Amino acid sequence: MINSVQSTYATQSVNEVQQSRTKAQNIQQDQQSGDKVTISDSAKTLASIGSFFSDMNIPYTPGQSISLDDLKTGLETSTKKFQDDVNVLFLQNDISTDPPVELTTDHSGNVRVKGDHPQKEKIEQLFQDNPDLANDFRGISGLNSLVEAGEEYLGFAKAYEKNPYEAVAKYSHIFNGMNVEQFSMLIGGDASVAKT
C-alpha cells in the first residue's frame, strides 16, 4: 500500500513539474512574440528635431552641431521652395498677387492673410486645404526665429568680449525674453521676401 501511494505521489510530482515547465515556456513564447518598444521622450524630441531640419533642407546628424550659416542656408532654400509652391498654387486658383499677399499666422497657428487683400478668404481656405504647405510656412517662421535668435546671440557675444557691462545693457532684452515680432512673408509684387 505504501509503495502504491509513493509511486502515485511521484507520478503526480513529475506531471506537475512538466505542466509548470510547459506553462512557463508558453508564457515566455507569448512574451517574446509580443515584444514592445518604448521610445523615450528625448528620443522622440531628437526624431522630431531631425525631421524639422530635414524638412527645412538642413543636413542634421544627431550629436553634431548645426552652424548659423547652415540655418540661414536652410531658411533661404526653404523660403524659395515655399514661395515657388505658393506661386504655382495661386496661379492654379486664379489668385492675384497684385496687390502682394502678406502671409502670417494667428495664435492658433493658422496661416492668415494680413491686411485687406481682395481674395483673403480664398487664400486662407487654400492653406486650410493644403496642410503640408501650411506646415511649411510654420516651419519657415520657426526657422526664421531661430536664425534671428542666433544672430542676436552672436551680436551679444562680440559686444561682451569688448565690454561686458555695455553688452548686458544693450542686449538686456535677451535676458528678459525676446520680444519677437510676428513673422510674415510677402508673396507677389516686387517683394517676395520674408520679414518680421
Side-chain angles (χ1 to χ4, degrees), residues 128-141:
Q128 285 183 348
D129 296 342
N130 293 281
D132 289 341
L133 197 58
N135 280 338
D136 290 344
F137 182 76
R138 287 185 285 270
I140 290 167
S141 174

Side-chain angles (χ1 to χ4, degrees), residues 10-11 13 21 24 41 43 51 54 70 76 85 93 101 103 106 110 113 115 126 134 137 157 163 180 191:
T11 302
S13 294
R21 282 184 187 160
D41 290 340
S51 175
S54 174
D70 291 337
E76 289 172 16
D85 292 346
N93 289 278
V101 177
L103 300 174
D106 62 16
N110 298 309
V113 175
L126 280 174
F137 182 76
N163 187 329
V180 179

Side-chain angles (χ1 to χ4, degrees), residues 59-155:
Y60 173 73
T61 304
Q64 291 183 333
S65 62
I66 295 175
S67 72
L68 185 56
D69 288 337
D70 291 337
L71 295 176
K72 287 178 181 179
T73 301
L75 179 60
E76 289 172 16
T77 304
S78 298
T79 299
K80 174 74 173 114
K81 181 185 179 312
F82 174 80
Q83 289 172 338
D84 290 345
D85 292 346
V86 169
N87 284 325
V88 168
L89 185 66
F90 283 7
L91 283 173
Q92 291 172 344
N93 289 278
D94 296 321
I95 293 177
S96 174
T97 56
D98 185 25
V101 177
E102 186 172 0
L103 300 174
T104 190
T105 54
D106 62 16
H107 293 295
S108 299
N110 298 309
V111 178
R112 298 290 182 214
V113 175
K114 204 172 188 179
D116 295 325
H117 192 278
Q119 294 173 298
K120 180 177 185 166
E121 290 179 18
K122 186 175 181 180
I123 295 167
E124 290 176 353
Q125 187 62 49
L126 280 174
F127 280 98
Q128 285 183 348
D129 296 342
N130 293 281
D132 289 341
L133 197 58
N135 280 338
D136 290 344
F137 182 76
R138 287 185 285 270
I140 290 167
S141 174
L143 186 54
N144 184 72
S145 296
L146 193 57
V147 167
E148 285 181 355
E151 288 174 338
E152 190 81 8
Y153 166 75
L154 287 178

